[in-house]
Amino acid sequence: MLFLRFSFILLLFGSLTMVKAQNRWSLQKCVTYATENSLAIKQSIAQIRNAELTLKQNQLSRLPNLNAGVSGGYQFGRTIDPTTNSFALEGIGFNSYSLNTGIQVFGGGIIKHNILRSKYELEAGKLEAEATENNLGLQVAAAYLNVLLADEQLVIAKTRLFQSQNQLNQINRFIEVGARPLNERYDFEAALALDQQALIEAENFLIRSNLILRQFLLIPDGTPFDIEKPEIKIPEDVDVDGISTNELFIGAVDILPQVKAAEKRLQAANIGILQAKANLLPSLSLFASLRSNFSNQARTITGFDVTKVKQNVFINNIPVALEIEQNVPTFAKKEYFDQVSENFGQSLGLQLNIPIYNNRQVKINIERAKLGVISNEVAKEQARQQLRTEIEQTLTAVRASQRSLQAADLSLKAATAAFENAQKRYELGAINSLELNTARTNMERAKSDRIRSRFQHLFNLKQVDFYQGKPITLD
């Protein structure tokens, strides 16, 4: 029974440990989460969607439009009957219907230019969104590595504090048996105080590093958050001195989206000149319409009444009264649908617009479009120069960090050997506690410098991978 309980406890502990490990954030998870929740990227997605709608709108402008209209009302006073086009003094209730369509037959190529420009702008928007994602990924990777650096420095600080406490305990025992003078305790107490301060600084650095990473991920402070701590391996087969700045730049131009986006913006600006010039050309449109109307004053003849009209005429200057029969029509209100059917009309035509003078607005727009091309040419060159500058700085940094790491390795070996030698000499009484603590401090400082150099060199190598189009991973 006891064995079963013990087994259950082990199983439960193992399950909790596995769940905790699964909840840790890897670098890829951090980058993915930051990308999905970034406000800048969400804004880019909205801009891309807007560009897609603009493209669709321009493509659909090739099709004819179709609009229907219905109107109704009541006219007072001296008005014109819309069905007879004659004056009337009575109030008239009216109703009309229309159906209109039109299509541009020729517009100087404006529709084609609009479609082409919106395609370039959509492609540019997508490339700019990709560049935003790339920059965010680099920032998250730097923050992630900073947390790993802070964590390792905290481990070193705790180890140093533990060693200082042990050394203080050991010297106290030596002092108690008279093997060491009392004043040596003060040197070890001072070293312990410095290590306690270093531990607090390491804890603060870890807190700040975690905060920066949380802010990139938009994770509120206080939310449980822990990252994976993979084994950091520095590639040793990378010949950073053999990487050509020009070759890396040429490859980055073909891979990275920044310069491509600027090129698409320039192509769109060139189309803008054609758009502006299209307004100098005539435009031809085809239109057609159907229409009908109704009036409550419309009448229809239902028959004739015969009436006799007396009329005096003169025959040989003698008045004679005559009766003349006349046919007088009788009217009735015309039915609604009869009016709609009888008043049904159609029209079909062409409209030609020839621009002659428009306050020089077209020429001004052409000049503005040309200025837009110049501005985008400068922006493209700026993007290229910025990329080259970043690559040059990255290669300079990775070469410097490689030399710094090599120097840090040598420095750590030397400092470790010096401390081991000082420890032996201290045990033999050849040096005092101050010299021993100085040697230990130099060794611990060399450890910290080496850790910083490793992480800095690793990040610089990852930047080189980025410009070569490789994914940023810690594998």
Side-chain angles (χ1 to χ4, degrees), residues 77-372:
R78 182 178 173 85
T79 60
I80 295 178
D81 189 332
T83 58
T84 63
N85 204 33
S86 60
F87 285 102
L89 297 177
E90 301 87 351
I92 299 175
F94 64 89
N95 189 202
S96 63
Y97 303 91
S98 64
L99 185 66
N100 303 287
T101 185
I103 185 172
Q104 189 177 73
V105 179
F106 175 77
I110 188 67
I111 295 178
K112 180 184 69 175
H113 299 326
N114 288 343
I115 293 174
L116 188 56
R117 182 169 187 174
S118 57
K119 284 182 179 179
Y120 287 140
E121 290 178 343
L122 175 58
E123 293 172 1
K126 291 180 178 180
L127 290 168
E128 288 165 352
E130 184 182 347
T132 302
E133 290 183 13
N134 290 342
N135 292 333
L136 179 61
L138 274 179
Q139 293 173 330
V140 171
Y144 191 93
L145 290 175
N146 231 22
V147 174
L148 293 179
L149 169 61
D151 188 73
E152 288 205 21
Q153 289 184 330
L154 179 60
V155 172
I156 292 177
K158 289 180 178 179
T159 303
R160 288 174 58 182
L161 181 62
F162 178 76
Q163 292 173 348
S164 295
Q165 186 64 57
N166 287 340
Q167 288 180 339
L168 179 60
N169 294 336
Q170 185 179 13
I171 198 63
N172 284 334
R173 288 193 295 269
F174 287 157
I175 292 172
E176 290 175 0
V177 298
R180 290 290 180 182
L182 179 62
N183 60 352
E184 286 195 2
R185 175 188 297 171
Y186 303 126
D187 293 333
F188 286 98
E189 287 178 346
L192 179 64
L194 290 175
D195 290 339
Q196 289 173 337
Q197 179 184 358
L199 177 62
I200 294 174
E201 291 176 353
E203 290 174 341
N204 290 336
F205 179 49
L206 179 60
I207 292 173
R208 290 195 302 271
S209 300
N210 269 299
L211 176 61
I212 293 173
L213 182 57
R214 284 173 178 269
Q215 289 174 339
F216 277 120
L217 303 179
L218 300 179
I219 296 178
D221 191 21
T223 304
F225 177 75
D226 190 19
I227 67 171
E228 292 181 356
K229 298 177 177 61
E231 182 181 356
I232 301 300
K233 297 180 180 179
I234 304 296
E236 298 179 355
D237 57 346
V238 180
D239 181 15
V240 295
D241 292 323
I243 300 176
S244 167
T245 301
N246 194 50
E247 290 179 359
L248 186 58
F249 171 72
I250 294 174
V253 168
D254 293 334
I255 296 172
L256 299 181
Q258 297 95 307
V259 178
K260 290 182 180 180
E263 289 176 350
K264 294 299 180 182
R265 293 293 182 192
L266 177 58
Q267 289 175 323
N270 281 312
I271 297 300
I273 296 178
L274 299 178
Q275 286 179 303
K277 289 182 176 180
N279 292 315
L280 293 172
L281 302 175
S283 62
L284 180 65
S285 300
L286 174 67
F287 65 87
S289 67
L290 305 175
R291 61 190 179 278
S292 185
N293 52 39
F294 162 82
S295 169
N296 65 352
Q297 295 299 319
R299 298 291 186 268
T300 183
I301 298 174
T302 58
F304 293 91
D305 293 333
V306 178
T307 59
K308 294 182 179 181
V309 177
K310 291 183 178 180
Q311 186 174 0
N312 293 324
V313 296
F314 290 89
I315 299 175
N316 296 324
N317 293 326
I318 300 172
V320 178
L322 299 177
E323 286 186 350
I324 302 174
E325 291 184 354
Q326 290 184 344
N327 293 326
V328 179
T330 57
F331 295 92
K333 288 187 176 182
K334 188 177 291 187
E335 295 296 330
Y336 183 89
F337 289 104
D338 290 341
Q339 287 193 54
V340 171
S341 177
E342 292 177 2
N343 296 331
F344 180 65
Q346 309 89 37
S347 63
L348 178 66
L350 291 171
Q351 180 177 350
L352 178 65
N353 292 322
I354 303 175
I356 298 176
Y357 179 72
N358 292 285
N359 301 323
R360 297 182 62 85
Q361 294 299 313
V362 176
K363 290 188 176 297
I364 291 175
N365 289 335
I366 293 174
E367 292 301 319
R368 283 177 175 168
K370 291 179 179 179
L371 290 176

Side-chain angles (χ1 to χ4, degrees), residues 135 138 245-246 248-260 379-395 463 466-468:
N135 292 333
L138 274 179
T245 301
N246 194 50
L248 186 58
F249 171 72
I250 294 174
V253 168
D254 293 334
I255 296 172
L256 299 181
Q258 297 95 307
V259 178
K260 290 182 180 180
K380 176 186 173 181
E381 187 58 31
Q382 285 178 333
R384 291 177 61 87
Q385 290 182 359
Q386 178 66 25
L387 181 59
R388 177 177 282 276
T389 299
E390 292 174 357
I391 289 175
E392 290 175 347
Q393 291 175 347
T394 298
L395 288 178
Q463 282 186 301
F466 169 75
Y467 290 119
Q468 291 175 339

